[in-house]
Amino acid sequence: MIKNYNFKVLLMLVIFLIYFFSTILANYFQHYEYIFSDINNIKKYQLFSSRVSFYAYIDLEDDMYTEGEPYDFRIKEVYEDKNYFIGYDFDKNYETNEIEKGYYIVVDKNKATMKIYNEKDFKEKYTNINYKEFINIYTFLKRKGTKIGKYR
């Protein structure tokens, strides 16, 4: 009877450890991906998350970066409607906790174009966008993205 009890406890411990470590590994290697296209399906855009931070990245078009620069744009907050996909990134001063510079990437789904704007130019051109509708990228990807099992 005591041997049977010890075996059950040992078996439960092994099952718990397998579950615990498999959950950690699954969460570590998974990331989110969101693919969308323009209205006429001319171009496809891929948004993918980083496995260790709360950022996502969108691949830039070939003519948007010069040699030696990164080929993707980091996104912290996002806005999407039927006409636009807009990603927002900012530089933050961690001593004062204030945003110093903001950058926007705008994908116009009607024209199949992608452009990057600084904060001033963006606010002048896109006056109809409600800035309160931007949401955290992690929340956005959990709603619309697909979980991918391996990190690129």
Side-chain angles (χ1 to χ4, degrees), residues 25-33 46-59 71-72 74 141 146-152:
L25 288 174
N27 287 332
Y28 181 75
F29 287 112
Q30 286 182 343
H31 73 284
Y32 287 95
E33 183 176 60
Q46 180 183 21
L47 188 72
F48 55 95
S49 67
S50 170
R51 71 174 181 214
V52 292
S53 62
F54 296 109
Y55 305 119
Y57 299 88
I58 189 167
D59 290 332
Y71 58 90
D72 50 22
R74 184 172 74 175
L141 287 173
T146 305
K147 264 190 181 178
I148 306 297
K150 66 177 187 169
Y151 185 72
R152 351 163 124 205

Side-chain angles (χ1 to χ4, degrees), residues 1-49:
M1 176 134 167
I2 292 180
K3 286 183 181 182
N4 193 16
Y5 176 75
N6 287 341
F7 178 75
K8 288 181 182 179
V9 170
L10 184 61
L11 183 63
M12 287 174 46
L13 180 64
V14 168
I15 290 172
F16 173 75
L17 290 174
I18 290 171
Y19 173 75
F20 180 75
F21 287 111
S22 65
T23 303
I24 289 174
L25 288 174
N27 287 332
Y28 181 75
F29 287 112
Q30 286 182 343
H31 73 284
Y32 287 95
E33 183 176 60
Y34 175 62
I35 298 173
F36 65 97
S37 67
D38 59 280
I39 291 175
N40 298 317
N41 291 319
I42 296 171
K43 295 180 185 174
K44 290 208 178 290
Y45 301 93
Q46 180 183 21
L47 188 72
F48 55 95
S49 67

Side-chain angles (χ1 to χ4, degrees), residues 85-101:
F85 175 88
I86 302 171
Y88 177 57
D89 185 28
F90 53 86
D91 295 332
K92 191 173 188 179
N93 184 333
Y94 290 100
E95 292 177 4
T96 62
N97 210 20
E98 292 183 15
I99 295 172
E100 292 182 338
K101 292 181 185 176

Side-chain angles (χ1 to χ4, degrees), residues 73-84:
F73 183 89
R74 184 172 74 175
I75 297 172
K76 295 180 184 176
E77 294 180 358
V78 69
Y79 168 85
E80 185 181 40
D81 63 14
K82 65 180 177 140
N83 298 317
Y84 298 107

Side-chain angles (χ1 to χ4, degrees), residues 110-136:
N110 297 316
K111 299 176 185 173
T113 60
M114 177 186 282
K115 292 185 181 175
I116 297 176
Y117 296 94
N118 63 30
E119 196 154 12
K120 180 183 174 231
D121 294 341
F122 176 81
K123 288 183 178 180
E124 288 174 2
K125 183 165 182 163
Y126 296 96
T127 56
N128 59 338
I129 302 294
N130 183 357
Y131 301 101
K132 294 181 181 179
E133 292 183 26
F134 278 81
I135 61 171
N136 179 287

